[in-house]
Amino acid sequence: KLKTPYIIQGKSLSHNDFEIKAKYDDGTVKSVAEAAIETPYSKYSVPGTQTVTVSYTENDVKVTCDVSVEVKNSKDINTYEITTVKSNYEKGYSFGISDVLASAYLYDGTRINPVIKYINTDGVDFNSKGSYTARATFEHNGKEYSGDFTIVIVDSIGITSLKCEANSAVYYIGQTLTAKDLTVTAFYSDGSYGYISDFDFTPVTFDTIGTNRSEERRVGKECLKRCR
């Protein structure tokens, strides 16, 4: 029998791909290390269920065995997942196809993002907080694939955390750090993030040498406190 559930189109089989055992007249069974693949590659390189003939010869006695082999199109989808683009959505949000993401792996290992064809959100109340199940369909290589995904509706979307970074890693004694020298990133409860340009920050003047790490912590702390 084949050691794996299937093979990928384009793979050439050898005896190493099979688990082969020989049974003798006295009832004993032993594993066979060498065997021949009788079926030409062209016969089993087509996607679908193919029959491959394996032969083994010992003491001038040849025995054969037919094995069913499932051949997968290398460009067909092996596994896929459907999710929402954001982790949650605010009540009343106008949800659409662009809010759904499909990610898939082909049999050859390639990762793709198929385009969603349509979605079914009939069971989702976008005006009520909760977790709902919806369904999406996409097409690839002439085949349709469908799957369920979860939509989480919340009362409101807010900032959960801020990240404040200085635009330069090196500052000199007497140099002043101002708001324009900072990049402030806001992380929201729906999983998204954005950059904030409208914030207040009291300038910090560096007056001690060799304390980069402590200054970094102090500046970061001040930034978070003053940007909130």
Side-chain angles (χ1 to χ4, degrees):
K1 67 179 181 179
L2 195 67
K3 291 180 180 179
T4 57
Y6 56 83
I7 64 170
I8 307 302
Q9 181 184 13
K11 175 179 173 56
S12 180
L13 291 170
S14 73
H15 67 274
N16 292 321
D17 296 304
F18 294 89
E19 182 182 321
I20 304 172
K21 294 183 178 181
K23 185 176 182 180
Y24 295 84
D25 292 337
D26 63 359
T28 59
V29 177
K30 76 170 186 179
S31 296
V32 174
E34 296 289 338
I37 307 300
E38 300 282 338
T39 306
Y41 166 76
S42 60
K43 296 291 186 181
Y44 65 79
S45 62
V46 180
T49 303
Q50 310 298 338
T51 300
V52 176
T53 300
V54 179
S55 68
Y56 172 65
T57 302
E58 184 178 316
N59 297 327
D60 295 328
V61 177
K62 179 180 178 180
V63 292
T64 62
C65 177
D66 289 338
V67 182
S68 290
V69 175
E70 187 68 23
V71 182
K72 299 292 187 181
N73 186 329
S74 60
K75 298 303 179 183
D76 275 349
I77 289 177
N78 183 9
T79 62
Y80 65 91
E81 180 183 25
I82 299 175
T83 60
T84 52
V85 174
K86 298 179 180 180
S87 58
N88 49 61
Y89 296 85
E90 199 169 31
K91 286 181 181 180
Y93 181 83
S94 182
F95 193 92
I97 287 180
S98 61
D99 293 298
V100 184
L101 176 67
S103 58
Y105 283 94
L106 307 184
Y107 279 104
D108 65 2
T110 303
R111 184 180 184 275
I112 63 171
N113 291 113
V115 177
I116 299 295
K117 190 175 180 180
Y118 54 84
I119 60 175
N120 184 339
T121 58
D122 289 347
V124 181
D125 184 352
F126 290 99
N127 293 310
S128 297
K129 179 180 177 180
S131 180
Y132 302 90
T133 299
R135 194 165 182 83
T137 300
F138 63 89
E139 188 177 280
H140 174 76
N141 215 15
K143 299 179 182 178
E144 278 196 351
Y145 299 83
S146 296
D148 292 339
F149 64 95
T150 301
I151 300 175
V152 178
I153 306 299
V154 296
D155 289 327
S156 62
I157 303 297
I159 295 177
T160 57
S161 63
L162 289 171
K163 181 179 181 181
C164 185
E165 296 177 297
N167 297 331
S168 176
V170 178
Y171 291 89
Y172 300 96
I173 291 178
Q175 189 173 0
T176 299
L177 185 72
T178 64
K180 68 179 182 179
D181 300 311
L182 301 173
T183 297
V184 179
T185 308
F187 296 89
Y188 297 90
S189 57
D190 63 355
S192 63
Y193 67 92
Y195 298 105
I196 296 177
S197 58
D198 184 17
F199 61 90
D200 294 323
F201 178 74
T202 303
V204 176
T205 300
F206 296 98
D207 54 12
T208 307
I209 193 171
T211 58
N212 291 355
R213 185 166 295 278
S214 62
E215 288 294 347
E216 178 184 325
R217 286 196 295 268
R218 183 169 72 86
V219 170
K221 186 176 181 181
E222 287 295 308
C223 178
L224 288 177
K225 181 175 71 176
R226 298 174 186 179
C227 289
R228 289 183 185 277

